[in-house]
């Protein structure tokens, strides 16, 4: 424990308490369920200086804020306070609706999901969360309540009446265009007014409620497909990848779990052995179409390797994999050293070949994630003495990701762990934009003071 630097965890139980704390002007990292993989909470508390907290570390815990859920007349989900994705999903299902975003870690909070621009498996079929937000409310760094609507554009905010700021926004938006197809670019979109809070990791305001688009509940069929190990033969994987792209309107998710990851599960929880598994969530009404036009036409995959699975079992299985892997790392006393890279579809094979280079290093690894979006998490499982080497490997890797024009952190954000890796992805346009936003929304730098928008 670090006794030199003051660490305080403040449990905030009401909006009044939150406003009071804001009025104290103390720089604070506000958090929800603390499932972020880029904010190593235990290590932060033990050694805040290492992560750039120089004076004190105050953690504003929002996980006990009063919560409520409701459906508005259009069937949109209105979330107030500390509602988790699990609660939101269950509530919507009970009302005959479905949420469109589904991070694997269901205990994460819906409002934090906006701050981290959470994605997850259903992004394949339903797109990114930023386009599912109708409106949101936040508290400014001065404690004022503000509302943002998705139908308003950022350029129309008074901040951009000034010609100089507008020029910076134009240049920033022009850079963003290259990344439009990605789930998350290396920097936030900044097009709709609500984008100000999406992926900005709590550096511009504290989100207190939001309205999310939902759809009427549909029945789904869950399938898994057995494939060879990706390291040995990736051709069948690629055949599915190429063909599935035109089925996004009827397949909500397309996820890969490699054989190495499956080994972390107890034997009785493994759906199959001896290869990788691909999971598909298919709209039941369109199943025949998917079967006739996609599954039965795959040349490199036998129909005998396609299996149906119960939805609960599928979800539990998928959620347990990253959790078990996280536990193994915790027992080893190391932080996860993993990737979060997405590339454009035509670069997927380049990315996979890059991952293959790591196979021969003798360090344990596994691979899983959002296969249909060319977005996989490669995780090293280092022994403590291999940790530094893995970190160095990642540094080299991000140079290649930049050369591949990929998005380095397409889902889990930057936090403090990825700050040094993200820097080469920013040019003057992003840096100027971040300064303008921080100066305007948080002039005292009291909201996540050492996030990626600060140097
Ligand atoms: C096993 C596992 C699986 C995961 N799978 C996915 C996945 O599929 N998709 C995905 O996107 N992520 C995933 N994650 C990452 C994580 O769950 C998400 O980043 C999630 O959005 C974090 O939510 P949280 O409530 O835990 O936020 P926290 O970890 O508490 O905070 C995360 C960030 O959000 C900010 N923040 C929190 N609340 C607010 C608020 N009210 N207003 C402003 N800023 C706020 C914090 O300052 C911080 O920067 C996974 C994590 C784990 C451990």
């Amino acid at each position: 424990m670090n006794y030199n630097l003051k660490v305080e965890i403040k449990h905030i139980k009401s909006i009044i308490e939150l406003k009071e704390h804001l009025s104290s002007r103390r720089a604070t990292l506000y958090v929800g369920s603390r499932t972020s993989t880029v904010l190593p909470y235990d290590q932060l508390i033990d050694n805040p200086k290492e992560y750039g907290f120089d004076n004190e570390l105050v953690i504003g815990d929002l996980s006990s804020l009063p919560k409520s859920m409701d459906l508005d007349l259009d069937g949109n989900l209105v979330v107030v306070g500390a509602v988790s994705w699990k609660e939101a999903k269950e509530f919507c299902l009970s009302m005959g609706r479905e949420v469109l975003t589904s991070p694997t870690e269901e205990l994460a909070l819906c409002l934090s999901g906006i701050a981290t621009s959470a994605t997850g498996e259903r992004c394949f079929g339903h797109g990114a969360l930023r386009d599912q937000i109708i409106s949101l409310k936040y508290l400014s760094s001065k404690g004022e309540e503000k509302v943002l609507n998705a139908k308003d554009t950022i350029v129309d905010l008074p901040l951009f009446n000034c010609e100089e700021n507008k020029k910076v926004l134009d240049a920033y938006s022009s850079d963003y265009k290259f990344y439009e197809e990605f789930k998350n670019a290396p920097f936030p979109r900044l097009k709709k007014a609500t984008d100000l809070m999406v992926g900005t990791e709590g550096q511009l305001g504290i989100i207190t409620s939001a309205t999310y688009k939902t759809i009427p509940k549909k029945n789904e069929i869950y399938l898994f497909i057995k494939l060879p190990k990706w390291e040995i033969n990736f051709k069948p994987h690629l055949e599915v990848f190429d063909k599935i792209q035109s089925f996004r309107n009827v397949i909500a998710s397309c996820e890969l779990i490699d054989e190495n990851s499956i080994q972390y599960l107890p034997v009785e929880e493994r759906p199959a052995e001896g290869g990788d598994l691909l999971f598909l969530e298919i709209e039941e009404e369109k199943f025949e179409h998917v079967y006739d036009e996609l599954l039965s036409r795959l040349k490199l995959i036998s129909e005998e390797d396609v299996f149906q699975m119960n939805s609960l079992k599928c979800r539990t299985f998928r959620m347990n994999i990253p959790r078990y892997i996280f536990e193994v790392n915790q027992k080893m006393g190391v932080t996860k050293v993993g990737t979060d890279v997405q590339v454009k579809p035509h670069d997927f094979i380049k990315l996979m070949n890059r991952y293959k280079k790591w196979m021969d290093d003798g360090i344990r690894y596994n691979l899983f994630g959002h296969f249909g979006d060319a977005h996989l998490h490669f995780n090293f499982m280092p022994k403590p003495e291999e940790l530094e080497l893995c970190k160095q490997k990642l540094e080299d890797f991000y140079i290649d990701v930049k050369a591949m024009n990929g998005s380095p952190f397409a889902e889990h954000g930057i936090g403090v762990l990825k700050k040094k890796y993200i820097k080469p992805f920013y040019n003057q346009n992003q840096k100027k934009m971040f300064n303008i936003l921080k100066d305007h929304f948080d002039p005292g730098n009291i909201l996540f003071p050492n996030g990626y928008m600060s140097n």
Side-chain angles (χ1 to χ4, degrees):
M1 180 72 82
N2 184 316
Y3 292 102
N4 300 323
L5 200 137
K6 199 173 152 208
V7 176
E8 187 185 336
I9 301 182
K10 185 135 186 73
H11 299 280
I12 296 169
K13 299 209 175 66
S14 69
I15 296 293
I16 293 174
E17 277 184 35
L18 180 53
K19 286 183 180 175
E20 276 169 9
H21 183 70
L22 279 164
S23 70
S24 75
R25 311 301 297 154
R26 289 173 75 191
T28 300
L29 172 64
Y30 293 92
V31 297
S33 283
R34 300 201 220 174
T35 67
S36 168
T37 57
V38 290
L39 289 164
Y41 293 105
D42 293 344
Q43 287 97 320
L44 265 178
I45 291 166
D46 279 349
N47 196 355
K49 270 196 172 164
E50 194 184 321
Y51 299 99
F53 292 90
D54 288 332
N55 302 317
E56 63 171 349
L57 167 60
V58 184
I59 294 184
D61 182 346
L62 307 175
S63 63
S64 310
L65 276 182
K67 57 182 161 182
S68 68
M69 282 179 278
D70 205 354
L71 282 187
D72 70 11
L73 292 175
D74 297 320
N76 301 315
L77 172 68
V78 184
V79 165
V80 178
V83 172
S84 69
W85 286 107
K86 186 171 192 294
E87 291 164 331
K89 270 186 202 173
E90 283 167 6
F91 173 76
C92 284
L93 286 178
S94 75
M95 308 293 276
R97 310 284 300 180
E98 278 181 38
V99 283
L100 301 172
T101 292
S102 178
T104 312
E105 179 48 86
E106 294 186 317
L107 299 179
L109 300 189
C110 299
L111 300 182
S112 320
I114 297 178
T116 62
S117 191
T119 63
E121 54 226 58
R122 304 194 97 204
C123 197
F124 179 75
H126 297 296
L129 177 65
R130 61 179 160 266
D131 289 319
Q132 296 155 19
I133 301 163
I134 311 283
S135 64
L136 60 83
K137 290 187 184 156
Y138 72 95
L139 285 188
S140 75
S141 62
K142 293 182 190 143
E144 300 155 329
E145 289 183 35
K146 306 268 184 183
V147 179
L148 296 171
N149 282 297
K151 60 179 169 30
D152 299 328
T153 52
I154 282 197
V155 70
D156 291 324
L157 298 177
L159 170 64
F160 295 105
N161 286 344
C162 147
E163 206 41 51
E164 194 57 33
N165 290 354
K166 164 92 171 39
K167 252 169 79 181
V168 176
L169 180 61
D170 286 346
Y172 179 99
S173 307
S174 164
D175 287 348
Y176 184 85
K177 277 203 181 100
F178 175 81
Y179 291 103
E180 246 160 19
E181 287 170 42
F182 286 86
K183 297 160 82 167
N184 280 303
F187 39 91
R189 178 172 66 176
L190 303 185
K191 185 172 159 196
K192 299 179 180 182
T194 40
D195 288 350
L196 278 170
M197 294 295 137
V198 180
T200 48
E201 302 189 1
Q203 296 169 90
L204 304 180
I206 304 161
I207 308 155
T208 52
S209 76
T211 303
Y212 305 78
K213 203 165 116 186
T214 69
I215 53 168
K217 182 183 166 4
K218 293 176 185 162
N219 289 334
E220 268 108 19
I221 289 187
Y222 293 81
L223 292 187
F224 70 90
I225 304 177
K226 264 180 76 176
L227 297 167
K229 278 168 76 75
W230 63 274
E231 304 94 318
I232 295 170
N233 179 11
F234 193 62
K235 284 196 180 122
H237 303 65
L238 264 190
E239 185 189 22
V240 181
F241 179 78
D242 288 339
K243 296 205 168 133
I244 209 163
Q245 299 304 322
S246 51
F247 288 83
R248 285 180 187 256
N249 55 338
V250 285
I251 298 182
S253 64
C254 173
E255 300 282 302
L256 176 82
I257 310 252
D258 87 338
E259 211 237 357
N260 301 322
S261 311
I262 296 166
Q263 299 308 311
Y264 288 92
L265 291 171
V267 177
E268 64 280 8
E269 284 186 34
R270 298 179 196 167
E273 299 272 2
D276 299 344
L277 298 179
L278 206 57
F279 290 84
L280 307 183
E281 183 183 340
I282 304 168
E283 206 180 302
E284 191 178 44
E285 268 188 18
K286 303 289 164 49
F287 181 72
E288 257 179 53
H289 165 71
V290 174
Y291 184 82
D292 292 343
E293 301 299 319
L294 174 73
L295 299 170
S296 67
R297 292 184 187 208
L298 294 170
K299 294 196 174 69
L300 302 177
I301 292 161
S302 149
E303 283 183 37
E304 283 162 17
D305 285 330
V306 181
F307 302 84
Q308 194 167 345
M309 197 179 189
N310 148 317
S311 76
L312 182 66
K313 210 172 157 192
C314 183
R315 196 159 292 155
T316 313
F317 166 77
R318 295 225 36 260
M319 199 149 41
N320 281 345
I321 295 270
R323 279 192 184 160
Y324 287 148
I325 290 173
F326 180 74
E327 277 170 24
V328 171
N329 275 338
Q330 250 193 342
K331 273 188 204 143
M332 301 276 283
V334 293
T335 318
K336 190 174 90 152
V337 184
T339 73
D340 184 17
V341 171
Q342 185 187 14
V343 290
K344 290 194 174 174
H346 61 266
D347 292 322
F348 195 25
I349 190 71
K350 276 193 220 160
L351 178 67
M352 295 311 292
N353 286 336
R354 183 63 179 79
Y355 283 146
K356 270 192 192 171
K357 278 196 191 173
W358 279 334
M359 272 171 46
D360 304 326
D361 294 340
I363 303 171
R364 285 199 310 159
Y365 64 88
N366 54 64
L367 181 83
F368 60 84
H370 316 298
F371 177 82
D373 285 321
H375 174 207
L376 295 172
H377 303 293
F378 183 103
N379 297 300
F380 283 116
M381 303 295 287
K383 298 181 191 132
E385 62 273 23
E386 292 166 337
L387 193 56
E388 280 314 307
L389 178 64
C390 290
K391 286 185 183 166
Q392 181 55 50
K393 284 178 184 301
L394 273 197
E395 252 174 75
D396 299 340
F397 172 71
Y398 290 120
I399 296 170
D400 293 349
V401 172
K402 190 158 189 303
M404 268 182 238
N405 293 315
S407 181
F409 310 114
E411 175 168 85
H412 289 213
I414 314 294
V416 290
L417 285 183
K418 302 290 164 77
K419 262 180 85 175
K420 83 170 175 187
Y421 302 123
I422 193 72
K423 284 198 171 137
F425 290 82
Y426 298 148
N427 64 30
Q428 283 310 309
N429 298 332
Q430 287 82 56
K431 288 180 191 163
K432 281 184 194 163
M433 192 70 236
F434 294 161
N435 286 341
I436 290 172
L437 293 174
K438 266 309 235 187
D439 284 353
H440 182 83
F441 289 95
D442 183 23
N445 198 21
I446 59 166
L447 305 174
F448 190 176
N450 54 339
Y452 68 84
M453 289 191 174
S454 314
N455 326 309

